[in-house]
Amino acid sequence: MKRKVITALLAATMVASLAVGCGNKGGDSKSDSSKSSSSDEITIGFSQVGAESDWRTANSESMKSTFSEKNGYKLIFDDAQQKQENQITAIRNFIQQDVDYIVLAPVTETGWDTVLKEAKDADIPVIIVDRMIDVSDDSLYTAWVGSNFKMEGQKACEWLNAYAEAKGMKEVNIAHIQGTIGASAQIGRTEGFDEAVEAHDNWTTLAQQSGEFTQAKGQEVMESFLKSYDDIDVVICENDNEAFGAIDAIKAAGKTCGPEGDIIVVSFDSVKAAFESMIAGDLNATFECNPLHGPRVAEIIQKLEKGEEVEKIQYVDEQVFTKDNTTKE
Ligand code: AHR
């Protein structure tokens, strides 16, 4: 609200310097004295989910290296430690600091209406990155860039179907370690998986539980699955780090995994350690989730700065990696 009043006043007095407008919300006016950076810098408040996985670390790095001082940005980075309440507090702080843009990597899809309305009232554009949000009013965010998580789940199941058939498996008993419940990456991948199980008479989900996208929790969940079921053929892990934990649990239980082992291990992300795990013969396949969103978000911001239209929904392209194509990659 404050910004709209300032805008009206400054427009009325025809302050010529407003026409320059770099870092001023696509030419919208903003009092320099209220800003936390020099006038030609674009200030970004980025609320990051946390540091739960290798993917997340790569994503944070991409944002930090893109929104650097050298590139003309001031980045205020906030690690929410996987807690939505921390993200809401961070967004309120960004609004108070009168940043030029808010970038949000949301932990879960729901619960954003109120705080994003506050950002809208403060006239601060919000760009959503990675996971999606579920809000009643789409104008609460300017653009979203991220993955088609359901398609990732579907691709994983198509691969599993072909692999199981090639191995001549009659029954496919699956243990499923999900991501953080309510996160788009969990919702989409689980949906793709559940639909595939429905479509295959010989596929059974033995157990399904969240591993919260962490290695430690992935290991803990797999340990408990292995205690309850001695007939697991496949473990689907909703990210690579959960798979690393699951592999440790499988080995600790005296079983083997990977292409030559007792249990097929499938995961998502395709981080560097996943390639190493495939080369070592532990992981069977990993389905890419691309974390390099910094340049994509910067492109959106640069267009907005020039007053150009941006595509509201932007999906990134992703690949499938198995032991067969892994060495080359
Ligand atoms: O939202 C993307 C997911 O979040 C990645 O698969 C996972 O590793 C991360 O924590």
Side-chain angles (χ1 to χ4, degrees):
M1 281 306 188
K2 180 190 73 182
R3 182 181 322 286
K4 284 173 189 157
V5 173
I6 292 170
T7 303
L9 284 172
L10 292 178
T13 52
M14 298 182 77
V15 177
S17 62
L18 285 177
V20 179
C22 180
N24 281 351
K25 298 176 184 147
D28 197 2
S29 70
K30 185 173 186 178
S31 158
D32 277 345
S33 61
S34 70
K35 291 183 73 174
S36 49
S37 63
S38 66
S39 61
D40 54 351
E41 243 177 7
I42 301 173
T43 306
I44 314 281
F46 176 41
S47 171
Q48 176 60 290
V49 170
E52 72 283 5
S53 63
D54 291 14
W55 186 99
R56 190 63 57 192
T57 306
N59 179 246
S60 294
E61 273 313 308
S62 173
M63 299 297 280
K64 284 177 184 171
S65 59
T66 303
F67 296 110
S68 63
E69 277 183 24
K70 165 170 99 22
N71 291 340
Y73 297 97
K74 176 178 177 185
L75 178 67
I76 308 171
F77 182 95
D78 187 276
D79 176 337
Q81 299 179 348
Q82 298 236 67
K83 292 196 177 78
Q84 185 177 43
E85 65 261 33
N86 292 346
Q87 295 204 284
I88 290 172
T89 302
I91 292 170
R92 292 203 167 119
N93 286 336
F94 297 153
I95 295 170
Q96 271 198 336
Q97 290 172 79
D98 208 10
V99 298
D100 295 310
Y101 296 89
I102 291 172
V103 180
L104 168 65
V107 62
T108 49
E109 290 193 348
T110 55
W112 301 105
D113 292 75
T114 305
V115 75
L116 294 192
K117 174 83 172 52
E118 291 167 27
K120 187 179 176 186
D121 288 345
D123 206 14
I124 301 177
V126 174
I127 297 161
I128 309 295
V129 69
D130 171 28
R131 303 172 187 173
M132 213 346 162
I133 56 170
D134 181 3
V135 279
S136 50
D137 171 7
D138 276 2
S139 75
L140 293 180
Y141 65 95
T142 304
W144 168 84
V145 59
S147 306
N148 186 331
F149 298 109
K150 183 168 180 183
M151 193 187 279
E152 289 174 357
Q154 288 168 332
K155 279 190 208 165
C157 291
E158 277 164 27
W159 174 87
L160 180 60
N161 181 45
Y163 190 81
E165 278 184 6
K167 279 190 93 172
M169 292 169 71
K170 294 215 162 39
E171 295 297 322
V172 183
N173 290 328
I174 306 168
H176 180 185
I177 305 181
Q178 297 166 291
T180 303
I181 301 300
S184 308
Q186 176 274 315
I187 295 170
R189 290 168 188 167
T190 296
E191 239 174 59
F193 170 76
D194 283 347
E195 285 177 11
V197 172
E198 274 292 308
H200 291 85
D201 288 343
N202 62 336
W203 288 21
T204 307
T205 305
L206 297 175
Q208 203 168 42
Q209 195 183 317
S210 175
E212 289 162 19
F213 286 127
T214 69
Q215 181 157 345
K217 191 77 184 164
Q219 180 168 352
E220 190 185 308
V221 172
M222 191 64 193
E223 278 165 5
S224 94
F225 285 172
L226 287 162
K227 280 184 193 137
S228 307
Y229 305 94
D230 61 5
D231 55 349
I232 299 172
D233 300 309
V234 182
V235 57
I236 303 263
C237 305
E238 285 188 1
N239 80 349
D240 288 334
N241 289 83
E242 290 179 344
F244 305 148
I247 289 166
D248 288 344
I250 292 167
K251 289 181 178 174
K255 296 201 172 211
T256 57
C257 53
E260 310 299 331
D262 308 319
I263 299 178
I264 298 165
V265 186
V266 177
S267 68
F268 297 88
D269 284 356
S270 308
V271 299
K272 185 168 178 272
F275 288 85
E276 288 159 3
S277 183
M278 283 192 287
I279 290 164
D282 293 331
L283 181 67
N284 289 75
T286 177
F287 294 81
E288 188 188 10
C289 180
N290 194 312
L292 306 179
H293 294 320
R296 298 181 182 114
V297 176
E299 197 183 314
I300 292 170
I301 287 174
Q302 288 305 326
K303 280 191 176 166
L304 293 172
E305 285 292 302
K306 289 182 208 140
E308 291 173 14
E309 291 281 309
V310 295
E311 254 181 86
K312 183 108 180 169
I313 302 292
Q314 300 186 24
Y315 286 104
V316 298
D317 287 338
E318 293 171 335
Q319 302 182 55
V320 178
F321 298 107
T322 63
K323 194 167 166 74
D324 295 338
N325 67 358
T326 229
T327 322
K328 180 170 65 84
E329 295 295 340

